[in-house]
Amino acid sequence: MALQTRVLVDGQWTTRSMDLYAILAGNKDASEKKMAPERHPAPSMGILTKTLSYSPVLKWIIPARIRDADKNDVIFIGERFIQIKELLPDGHLQDVVTKSDFGGATIRSARVFGNARQPVGPVDVQQGANMKEEDADIEMNLSESGITSQIPPQILIVTLDSNRLVFLFAFNDRLGQVKFLSSHMALPSQRSLLQTQGKHLAVDPKSRAFAVAASQDSFSLYALKPRSQLRAEIERGDELSSARLKPVREERQLSVDGIILKMEFLYPSPDDEGHVILLLVVSNDQKTRLLCFEWDYTTSLHTVKQLGTNGQPVGKREMLPILLIPLTIASAFILVCEHVVTVYRDILTGTATPRPIGHNEDSANYQGGSSRKPPLWTYWARPVRTADYSSGHDDLFLCRDDGIVKALNISEDTAIMLNTQVKAGTLRCNIDTAFASLDLGLNHPDLLIAGGDMSVGGIFEFQSRSVPRFIEAVSNWAPTIDCVFVPSNSLSRHRSTSTDAAPSRLNRLFTCAGRDNFGACVEIRCGMEGRMGWTLSNEEFPSIVEMWTLVDPAADGFSLLLSFPLYSSLIHLTTDGSILPDEFDHTQGGLDLRSKTLAVTVTVQGCCIQVTEGSIRAKRSLLADMSHPGLLREFLPSEKIVAAAVDPQQSLVVTVIRRRNGDVDLCGSRVSLIDDSISILENEQSISLTSEPTCLTIIRIRKTEFVFMGTTAATLRIFRLEADSKLVPIMEHTINGTGGVHSVCHSVSCVSSNDTQLLLCGQRDGQLQTFQVETHNESATVTLTHSNCLVMGTTSVKVFPDSLDSRNAYVTCDSDFCRVTYDELQHRRLSVSNVWLTNAGDPSYRQSPILAASQLPSSFQLTDATYAGLMVLILGAKLIVATLDRTAKVVPRRIPVKGTPRRIIFSKVLDMLVLVVTSNENKPPRQRSSPGIQSRSRVLVRDCIEFIDPDQPTIKVEGDIPQDSGSQKCLAPVGKAGERVLGIIEWSPSEEGRTYHFLVVCTRIKHSGGLPDTGRVAFFKARRNNQGGVDVAEKYHIRCDGGPAYSIASLGSSSLVYCSGNELKIQFLNLSEKKWQPVCSYRLRSPGLHIDVKGPLIYVTTASDSVQILKFEDNTLSHQFSDSVAREGLHHLTLPNLSITLASDKACNVAGLWQPPTRLTATPATVFEAELPGSMIRLRLGSVRPPWRSLAGLPGLLQDDIIGVSVDGALYQITLLTAAAWRLLRFIQNLCARSPSVSPITYHQSPLGHIEPEDTNPRSFHVDGDVLSRLLALESSELQFMLDQMSSSSDAAEVRARRERFEELVREVLQEVHDPVQAAMDYMRCLLQPLL
């Protein structure tokens, strides 16, 4: 059927015939087009993750010399990293280097082989003469390329869960940087995980062989090459190569029936050189047997034979041994079990003889806790002894998990081979397998180190019949269950007039850590640690102006000269820390202590020069001949010295003098010391100044002294200082600023690297200006080129040089104390690290603003090298002498709590941290009606609320909450014993202008008799009282009979949303009627573990269904979106500005879910997914990046300042990238995956082709910042080499295309650049700066 209609064609109405069905179809299409919503494609973005700090959990601690025979190193082995620390003569550890490039694999076991440990110090001449060549320590020589050409005394061997066996050691290159050299080989492949070898690793005591075993059924033997052969292979080339590090001579795989419980090599007889003995403890068919294998090292491994057919069975109490300890005498060994310790000997005869050892320790758990089981022996250590003593004796330390250490002395003098066993002491930590004995020499007491198990470990000095002395803590903030950022406008402000309250501009990160008696609230800080030593308090210190450290070669210790507004003070510290003379004695001869000191120094000739406001004084020595007045040059009363500087190298003095008529002159003079005769030679020529100085410094650059002077006119003037103290003007540089006093220079210093100087200018407006210094030898002048500007704070910046390293300088500003480093070769920019002071006796110590600082010189200027580089600081009313580390790390600040912390929030109303702590209450045993039945004491486990102000003393809790007699006063119990708090929030409902404050907790209540769990939502009213405590009272609670209350969040001004069981509920509080009104509910498929509310949308992380997004509208809940993958969720973080939700799960993934503006589908797109080493228990967003690491203006960034926290304490920084930045960084990462220098373990698994990033898989949008960081540790030439690398199947055209693609990707992010390779390296260096 046709119809005629009029249509508009080219502006004219015309009549056309149309079919009826065509008209109806057109109307339908128009309706669909009108109703169809606009489709928004998912954005293309990437995720960059980088490890901020590895987990502090240690698996083993091994003393080993894998770097050099003269380096007393200690190896910390974690799950995914190896860290070398050096043991210093004072018993402290110093970080050296960390290795983590194992391709994401987990370390299963580790041992060292090589020379046996020898006592530190000189070796006896006769003993050294009897030492074989192969057992002697090998000297580390440098080849022409700057790489060591010989191996160290010991080599570390590691097994990985990727079925690899890794050999590695460390060395120093020509630049002094510590590098690792490693080689690896494959372990035998197995079908079953339990049969995969690597679980057990044992090394022959004479390093002739090692064995690797699986959990059951199989093990492999490896014969090692003689040390002379291995050394010859290493020395064949000029450089070390992993291809030549092949210590294995032969290997053989064997099998056993059963589960391999323990495996160790036994010590052969001293006169049996070739005998190798391997012992396995195997469990099969509910029986445990000892299997012994032996062979002659000089023969093949095919001659290995087993003693006996089925092995020797052990007793029932020894079926599950905890430890197998080989003894150095009689090829004996010890089996340590839960209830018995047994010595076995004569295993080589076919039947070993067991001898039980009795226990004489208290079986009660020393540290208490919630466990009722008796403590277990967990590990052992063998201290170093002399060769003569070790030939007939064996000393051992056994440690128990509650911290008790027992000392055993083994010899053949008795039938049971045990001379003595005594309790050596108790360590203040729980102990697992991270336990070892360190060595500082035969004249030093034994040192034991323990990595705490869910507690802080430490280094302890053991002396006979005395309590172990604590030396240094081994940090551990695991397990980390929760964390929170403290807003910068809260704890950062001053709450008192105390000088110990330190302001801070940035958010601070606090975590829950530890367990039971070792629970703590830990503040995570990154930087260099400064270990506090001597301290001195005085009320005069807060008014200090300046401080100098002075060293008199003829005196013991060192001196401090403190300048105050009206006087000066001289303090002398001796070696034992005593103070001589009286610190405020103004009568010291030769020094003017009644005036303000402007400059002072001790010259290289030992002469002491002091400049005050009215005089210049010189003494032949600082402390010698105190009654001698020295030489004095006094100025007229009408003249005043306003600034001064002294050069200790040339004994030159520069002063700025204000005359009576107001003129200001710059003058130079020289102090001459000839045959104990002192004279002050003044240069008659002075320079008139138009503005007064703000700072005056003498800096030596290329053997020429220059005077740098900041002025009130916001300029920096430079003068050359001649040997006769003549001053020659060089230049005047205007410092860019806002003008006035806030742009003037406050202090000046200089750092240098690779013969390149960088001038540091600290300004009064909180900025640190840097200038490249160029010298002109022909005219002895310098020119300045502005390099960079770092924002350090808001107050004046004080900068002074590092006496130990010319590349470093120290900066103080506000409450920050930092070290700046300039490395022209590696960085081409200035890097900044915080310095955090720690007190071994007070782990909660927090440093206050630094009022004055000075550093002792390097060791060649001191008679006692132990003082070299010591930092002397004035903080408030305290003077502190500290030792600074040279590398940055996490420096935790630990605030103890009364139990196991599990939740933490920050209360804005109380301005305090609020923690949920699980505490243990010891109850007396119940009275039994039946006689003869002994009752046991009871331990009640109860959750409590604890309030912490990190900057104030412990807060006391008061109120009407009933507290049992055994509870702590600073805890507010929640409900009855056994009720577990699962979540806590701060809630401030308001109505009609009135606002109330509550702490709301959601709980789980377990019931006996098989009844299902229930829960509560409890409301606590808390407020600070006038006594500084907190008044707490429980006001309401909501019963949750449908299941535990897993999570809770506030909704609007007077509503709450919480999850009870699998049901999400919303309730409204009618404040006028004080009644709860149910609003609506929604049934989830699994419990909601975390709730977050953004406007009308409610985001819920569920236990089995990832993130669910619901909408609350018209008093109803409707489902909006859910993840397409049913993840076992842990936490999420919403980023509304990007419409992205970061979701973490138990499978160690972090996914980015994009929520479109309109609801097109119920499944949000997964735009990226990152697989991390651990599961992110928390994802937090906060402003924590220091101002000197600001990424403002850096292209390619979408979101920064995200931190992920794993339950094992590992910290990760997360950055979201644009598509262009992701493509560039992923392209570089793909190159690194094929580089043996960047990925030494896994490079062979990646073919050279296929470099272009894929965009089909969400996991391809993940950029691993740890891989890029390893590239940054190398020079830019490594990236250049990777771009130009050719494989056997590639050609020049492929390499050229790869280079062109790389340059194209660089231009997409950084626009046009001169050197794309260097620009990419600089871009990554900025992007990967530590977030904390």
Side-chain angles (χ1 to χ4, degrees), residues 906-1160:
F906 176 73
S907 171
K908 296 181 180 179
V909 175
L910 299 176
D911 201 13
M912 299 171 64
L913 292 169
V914 183
L915 287 84
V916 175
V917 178
T918 301
S919 62
N920 304 312
E921 301 176 9
N922 295 319
K923 293 292 185 180
R926 294 189 179 97
Q927 296 295 330
R928 297 283 186 178
S929 58
S930 301
I933 300 179
Q934 184 177 3
S935 300
R936 294 190 306 174
S937 61
R938 296 174 296 154
V939 177
L940 298 183
V941 181
R942 166 173 286 176
D943 280 4
C944 305
I945 299 177
E946 184 165 357
F947 300 87
I948 292 180
D949 185 342
D951 305 324
Q952 297 293 338
T954 303
I955 300 298
K956 293 184 178 181
V957 176
E958 302 172 358
D960 57 2
I961 297 179
Q963 299 193 27
D964 295 334
S965 58
S967 61
Q968 302 288 342
K969 290 185 178 180
C970 58
L971 300 179
V974 177
K976 298 181 179 180
E979 184 174 6
R980 179 64 57 89
V981 176
L982 303 181
I984 181 172
I985 64 170
E986 183 179 35
W987 187 44
S988 299
S990 60
E991 185 181 61
E992 297 179 355
R994 299 184 63 183
T995 302
Y996 304 86
H997 173 248
F998 295 100
L999 294 175
V1000 187
V1001 300
C1002 50
T1003 71
R1004 175 206 295 263
I1005 303 175
K1006 286 185 173 293
H1007 300 280
S1008 59
L1011 297 176
D1013 295 348
T1014 59
R1016 287 196 313 150
V1017 177
F1019 298 80
F1020 293 85
K1021 189 173 183 60
R1023 63 180 181 86
R1024 301 188 76 153
N1025 53 38
N1026 297 331
Q1027 290 74 34
V1030 178
D1031 297 329
V1032 183
E1034 181 177 342
K1035 292 299 183 182
Y1036 320 99
H1037 74 268
I1038 302 175
R1039 294 180 55 185
C1040 301
D1041 297 330
Y1046 288 101
S1047 54
I1048 191 168
S1050 61
L1051 178 67
S1053 60
S1054 301
S1055 298
L1056 288 175
V1057 53
Y1058 61 95
C1059 183
S1060 174
N1062 289 6
E1063 191 170 6
L1064 195 69
K1065 297 183 178 181
I1066 296 179
Q1067 294 217 19
F1068 169 75
L1069 176 61
N1070 190 326
L1071 293 173
S1072 58
E1073 299 181 4
K1074 297 183 179 182
K1075 292 184 178 181
W1076 285 100
Q1077 300 175 0
V1079 179
C1080 61
S1081 63
Y1082 184 88
R1083 187 74 178 177
L1084 300 171
R1085 287 184 296 227
S1086 58
L1089 305 181
H1090 174 58
I1091 302 176
D1092 187 22
V1093 178
K1094 301 293 182 183
L1097 297 180
I1098 300 174
Y1099 299 79
V1100 184
T1101 292
T1102 61
S1104 304
D1105 301 286
S1106 190
V1107 176
Q1108 305 289 322
I1109 305 176
L1110 298 93
K1111 188 175 184 179
F1112 178 64
E1113 191 174 32
D1114 298 331
N1115 289 341
T1116 59
L1117 281 172
S1118 61
H1119 183 270
Q1120 293 293 112
F1121 305 96
S1122 62
D1123 193 355
S1124 59
V1125 180
R1127 313 174 196 271
E1128 294 183 345
L1130 284 177
H1131 201 252
H1132 72 260
L1133 175 66
T1134 56
L1135 304 172
N1137 57 322
L1138 298 175
S1139 298
I1140 290 289
T1141 300
L1142 295 180
S1144 65
D1145 59 25
K1146 294 181 181 179
C1148 305
N1149 297 317
V1150 174
L1153 308 178
W1154 176 70
Q1155 176 187 340
T1158 56
R1159 187 173 183 266
L1160 300 176

Side-chain angles (χ1 to χ4, degrees), residues 1274-1303:
L1274 307 172
E1275 297 182 7
S1276 58
S1277 58
E1278 180 64 27
L1279 178 56
Q1280 185 85 30
F1281 173 77
M1282 290 189 298
L1283 289 170
D1284 298 336
Q1285 183 182 12
M1286 296 179 60
S1287 66
S1288 58
S1289 60
S1290 63
D1291 52 16
E1294 181 181 339
V1295 173
R1296 184 168 55 254
R1298 186 190 311 149
R1299 163 73 70 164
E1300 292 175 355
R1301 178 56 176 161
F1302 170 75
E1303 295 177 355

Side-chain angles (χ1 to χ4, degrees), residues 103-387:
T106 299
I107 299 174
R108 300 188 68 188
S109 57
R111 292 289 181 92
V112 294
F113 66 89
N115 297 338
R117 291 177 65 192
Q118 300 293 333
V120 174
V123 181
D124 182 73
V125 176
Q126 183 63 33
Q127 179 182 342
N130 296 331
M131 189 180 299
K132 297 195 319 180
E133 177 195 3
E134 291 187 1
D135 293 334
D137 289 341
I138 296 177
E139 183 182 359
M140 302 289 285
N141 296 326
L142 286 176
S143 64
E144 294 181 0
S145 60
I147 305 224
T148 55
S149 60
Q150 295 182 348
I151 59 177
Q154 293 175 317
I155 294 176
L156 181 67
I157 179 173
V158 170
T159 63
L160 306 176
D161 65 354
S162 59
N163 213 36
R164 308 299 294 182
L165 191 64
V166 182
F167 307 94
L168 58 91
F169 63 86
F171 62 92
N172 288 75
D173 61 11
R174 188 168 295 278
L175 297 178
Q177 296 181 342
V178 181
K179 305 289 186 180
F180 278 101
L181 182 78
S182 64
S183 65
H184 55 90
M185 59 184 295
L187 290 169
S189 59
Q190 302 289 343
R191 295 182 179 179
S192 171
L193 179 62
L194 294 177
Q195 294 177 338
T196 301
Q197 296 185 11
K199 170 67 174 178
H200 304 281
L201 175 62
V203 175
D204 173 59
K206 295 185 177 182
S207 296
R208 299 164 298 180
F210 67 92
V212 182
S215 296
Q216 67 180 33
D217 296 343
S218 68
F219 69 98
S220 294
L221 296 177
Y222 297 85
L224 291 168
K225 296 175 182 178
R227 197 161 183 80
S228 57
Q229 178 183 350
L230 183 59
R231 180 172 54 192
E233 293 176 357
I234 292 292
E235 293 177 349
R236 281 187 305 189
D238 293 334
E239 296 186 6
L240 285 177
S241 171
S242 59
R244 294 197 300 272
L245 181 59
K246 296 180 178 180
V248 175
R249 184 191 69 187
E250 184 185 4
E251 62 179 292
R252 181 186 175 188
Q253 186 175 359
L254 295 93
S255 62
V256 294
D257 292 331
I259 299 174
I260 302 175
L261 301 177
K262 298 294 175 182
M263 181 179 68
E264 288 289 350
F265 282 89
L266 302 183
Y267 284 77
S269 175
D271 56 355
D272 197 353
E273 290 292 334
H275 199 188
V276 183
I277 311 167
L278 177 66
L279 178 68
L280 282 80
V281 183
V282 180
S283 176
N284 187 27
D285 196 19
Q286 298 184 358
K287 294 182 181 180
T288 300
R289 297 179 179 271
L290 304 176
L291 303 182
C292 187
F293 299 83
E294 64 173 351
W295 72 96
D296 192 328
Y297 170 70
T298 59
T299 63
S300 171
L301 288 178
H302 292 283
T303 63
V304 174
K305 63 179 181 178
Q306 178 180 346
L307 295 179
T309 304
N310 298 322
Q312 177 180 343
V314 300
K316 292 184 178 180
R317 303 180 69 187
E318 302 166 356
M319 292 183 61
L320 294 176
I322 302 172
L323 300 173
L324 170 59
I325 307 174
L327 300 180
T328 60
I329 52 179
S331 300
F333 59 92
I334 297 178
L335 279 184
V336 180
C337 305
E338 183 175 358
H339 302 291
V340 65
V341 178
T342 306
V343 177
Y344 282 82
R345 60 182 303 171
D346 302 327
I347 186 71
L348 298 179
T349 63
T351 303
T353 304
R355 300 288 185 180
I357 300 177
H359 286 280
N360 56 1
E361 297 82 17
D362 183 10
S363 61
N365 194 319
Y366 175 79
Q367 301 295 349
S370 57
S371 176
R372 294 186 178 183
K373 295 183 179 181
L376 301 176
W377 300 105
T378 57
Y379 214 65
W380 64 280
R382 175 176 285 118
V384 178
R385 298 291 187 257
T386 62

Side-chain angles (χ1 to χ4, degrees), residues 42-48 1133-1140 1142 1152 1154 1167-1168 1181 1185 1191-1202 1214-1223 1225 1261 1309 1323 1327:
S44 179
M45 65 177 67
I47 180 173
L48 169 68
L1133 175 66
T1134 56
L1135 304 172
N1137 57 322
L1138 298 175
S1139 298
I1140 290 289
L1142 295 180
W1154 176 70
V1167 295
F1168 55 76
L1181 175 66
R1185 187 177 293 276
L1191 300 184
L1194 191 68
L1197 296 186
L1198 292 176
Q1199 184 67 61
D1200 193 21
D1201 293 353
I1202 301 175
I1214 299 175
T1215 304
L1216 302 188
L1217 306 169
T1218 62
W1222 161 75
R1223 278 191 295 268
L1225 298 179
F1261 288 87
V1309 179
Y1323 177 70
L1327 193 61

Side-chain angles (χ1 to χ4, degrees), residues 87-99:
L87 182 63
L88 302 178
D90 60 358
H92 292 277
L93 292 176
Q94 179 175 280
D95 293 348
V96 177
V97 67
T98 301
K99 180 180 178 66

Side-chain angles (χ1 to χ4, degrees), residues 92 428 470-473 529-533 838-843 845:
H92 292 277
R428 295 179 293 177
F470 177 76
I471 296 179
E472 178 183 339
E529 182 180 7
R531 297 188 301 271
M532 295 170 52
T838 59
N839 187 346
D842 180 14
Y845 173 80

